Amino acid sequence: MSNETVTGGTFINFQGTDVNPPPAPGGGVDHDALDKLYGDAGHWNVNLGEETIHAKRMPGRFRRLKWLVASIYLLYFIGPYLRWDGRQALLLDIPARKYHIFSLTIWPQDVWMLSLLLLTFFITLFAATTIAGRVFCGYVCWQTVWTDVYTLIEEWIEGPPAQRRALDKAPWSLHKLRVKAPKQAAWLVLSGLTGITFTAYFMDVFELWGRYFSLEGPVYIWVTPLPFMIGSYIGAGFMREQICFWLCPYARIQGVMTDPETLMPTYDNLRGEPRGKLVKCAMTGVKNGDCIDCNLCVAVCPTGIDIRNGQQEGCITCALCVDACDTVMEKTGRPTGLVRYMSLKESHGEAHRAAFKRPRVLIYSAIVIAAISGVIYGATHLAPMTLTVIHERQPLFVTLSDGSIQNSYTVKILNKTDKPMEYRITASGVDGLGLDVMGGPVARVEAGKVAPVQARIRVPKGKMAVESAPVYFEAESLSDSAIGDRYESVFISPKTGG
């Protein structure tokens, strides 16, 4: 695709934003002015997988930021080994239907907090994309981080990019096998740890390792790690940026989340063009732009794009090209920032609003704050027991021989503590009601279990003047009066009112 990509007199840039180009003197589109303003912006750099990208690593503030963010994933590997009160601190105990997060124990009844957490994640992702493009892809994405680590291992073993490219092109030999084999072994170890660590969040990690070493255990401990082992080994080791180009749905939809005020790594065409080598400029005396055409910004790009060709789909907003260009500018005595985080409006000389002044960002922020507040409230108000009552539907009521009305219920008590508890069940809400609990008014519930109890409420004849009335069940612990719960149900009578 060339810079002739024009629809209806409007230049379509590669983030989905329409930009009006300078008009030609005789009308239409002035392609010469467009080329001068945008450079070779119509040329996409999309590696179709015909070659392996070996990106150069350079120090800089964005490289340090990438490693700082990536180090958070160390918690993923450490998490299963943390202990709390004699058990695994982070454990998703699916058979017992409870999830331990240090001192918190979350039950299926509290899973609404997970919905709020997912909402928080996605809205935060949208907000980050609106502010700084695919910054999630560049710094936080699992695929990006694992690829960075896999390629670092590759560099340690096979050498710098030029040496790795030469090794890839060389015919297979004993030397090539001797160099490649340790890398593959290291990749397999890392992929194995990735899969096993994920499985360890669903089973005590020490028991899991014991079952692996003894070659015994349920099928799921052998099957669960496989997708993560294969995904990391093939995805991060071989496919790399191809996952981002062709398989990742977020990479495809991120264009609709950006706007002309989104900050993304951008090449300053007005300052950098016409580009030219330093030696050539000195010999010819031609005054060129600040770009010396060193191609270092291309060499460090993990997806192999040329940022000088404009904002494009392959950019994951990692800003490693900014580090590379700033290093060259410092060495040549020129101002840094030739490649920098810049909005489309700013690149056109227009005013750029701060993020906190943009309505979309404010709306996203409000949703995130509300969702986080809900999660915090839920986590700080987890009850040690839960009471639910189900009114029997067949029949809704029974008229007894003395004219009284009877309703039947199933009372379910969930004991969320780690010890057996006894609860006294009572009911109120209708004058003269009588409660009959099968097995007695005190129910014993084992730790972490649900106890269903059958109960009946009778109301004497003439006490119900309406067809239905609220009735309240209460369950209170005998050992701790602070532990209890209340549930509102309904008492139903005939239309005649009894």
Side-chain angles (χ1 to χ4, degrees), residues 406-418:
Q406 176 177 284
N407 285 198
S408 298
Y409 304 85
T410 300
V411 179
K412 292 185 177 181
I413 302 175
L414 169 61
N415 179 10
K416 296 182 178 180
T417 67
D418 56 359

Side-chain angles (χ1 to χ4, degrees), residues 137-385:
C137 296
Y139 293 91
V140 185
C141 176
W142 178 89
Q143 168 69 16
T144 299
V145 173
W146 257 246
T147 298
D148 218 6
V149 174
Y150 272 62
T151 53
L152 179 63
I153 294 173
E154 185 176 62
E155 184 166 317
W156 285 344
I157 296 175
E158 295 186 0
Q163 188 172 326
R164 300 204 300 270
R165 282 190 287 268
L167 185 64
D168 288 346
K169 295 177 181 179
W172 280 100
S173 62
L174 185 61
H175 167 72
K176 185 173 182 177
L177 184 62
R178 190 168 58 246
V179 175
K180 291 281 187 181
K183 179 189 75 172
Q184 298 297 327
W187 283 2
L188 287 171
V189 169
L190 181 55
S191 65
L193 287 176
T194 300
I196 293 173
T197 300
F198 177 81
T199 309
Y201 281 97
F202 299 88
M203 182 179 187
D204 186 87
V205 64
F206 297 111
E207 180 185 353
L208 180 66
W209 279 113
R211 289 179 179 271
Y212 280 138
F213 285 122
S214 62
L215 299 179
E216 63 180 14
V219 175
Y220 74 85
I221 71 170
W222 305 96
V223 175
T224 302
L226 292 179
F228 294 86
M229 295 172 64
I230 296 172
S232 59
Y233 179 70
I234 296 179
F238 296 95
M239 296 188 69
R240 302 181 184 181
E241 80 290 340
Q242 298 299 302
I243 297 286
C244 306
F245 278 135
W246 312 117
L247 298 180
C248 178
Y250 171 63
R252 302 281 68 79
I253 66 174
Q254 58 84 32
V256 302
M257 301 181 192
T258 63
D259 56 40
E261 292 183 301
T262 300
L263 296 173
M264 287 179 280
T266 306
Y267 170 66
D268 192 339
N269 281 274
L270 296 178
R271 175 184 156 188
E273 301 298 323
R275 69 188 75 159
K277 301 291 185 182
L278 281 176
V279 176
K280 185 176 181 179
C281 294
M283 294 177 60
T284 61
V286 177
K287 176 62 177 178
N288 286 332
D290 283 350
C291 178
I292 64 171
D293 204 19
C294 64
N295 283 316
L296 201 57
C297 57
V298 182
V300 299
C301 181
T303 61
I305 71 167
D306 189 339
I307 194 64
R308 297 171 298 178
N309 290 346
Q311 298 171 353
Q312 50 197 288
E313 70 158 354
C315 180
I316 59 173
T317 323
C318 64
L320 296 180
C321 54
V322 177
D323 284 341
C325 189
D326 284 351
T327 300
V328 174
M329 292 297 102
E330 290 173 355
K331 290 182 178 180
T332 56
R334 304 181 183 190
T336 59
L338 178 60
V339 179
R340 63 185 184 274
Y341 271 99
M342 183 166 52
S343 69
L344 197 62
K345 278 190 172 182
E346 185 182 352
S347 67
H348 293 170
E350 301 177 24
H352 173 82
R353 290 180 298 178
F356 64 87
K357 295 182 178 180
R358 298 167 60 188
R360 189 191 301 187
V361 176
L362 294 176
I363 293 173
Y364 286 153
S365 301
I367 297 175
V368 169
I369 292 173
I372 292 177
S373 300
V375 173
I376 293 175
Y377 175 83
T380 55
H381 289 76
L382 289 175
M385 63 88 65

Side-chain angles (χ1 to χ4, degrees), residues 3 28 73 81 246 405 440:
N3 55 9
Y73 278 96
Y81 300 92
W246 312 117
I405 309 301

Side-chain angles (χ1 to χ4, degrees), residues 385-389 411-414 425-426 472-476 484-488:
M385 63 88 65
T386 301
L387 175 68
T388 56
V389 179
V411 179
K412 292 185 177 181
I413 302 175
L414 169 61
I425 303 172
T426 59
Y472 303 95
F473 285 83
E474 293 186 16
E476 182 179 302
D485 196 10
R486 193 168 190 251
Y487 192 94
E488 180 180 346

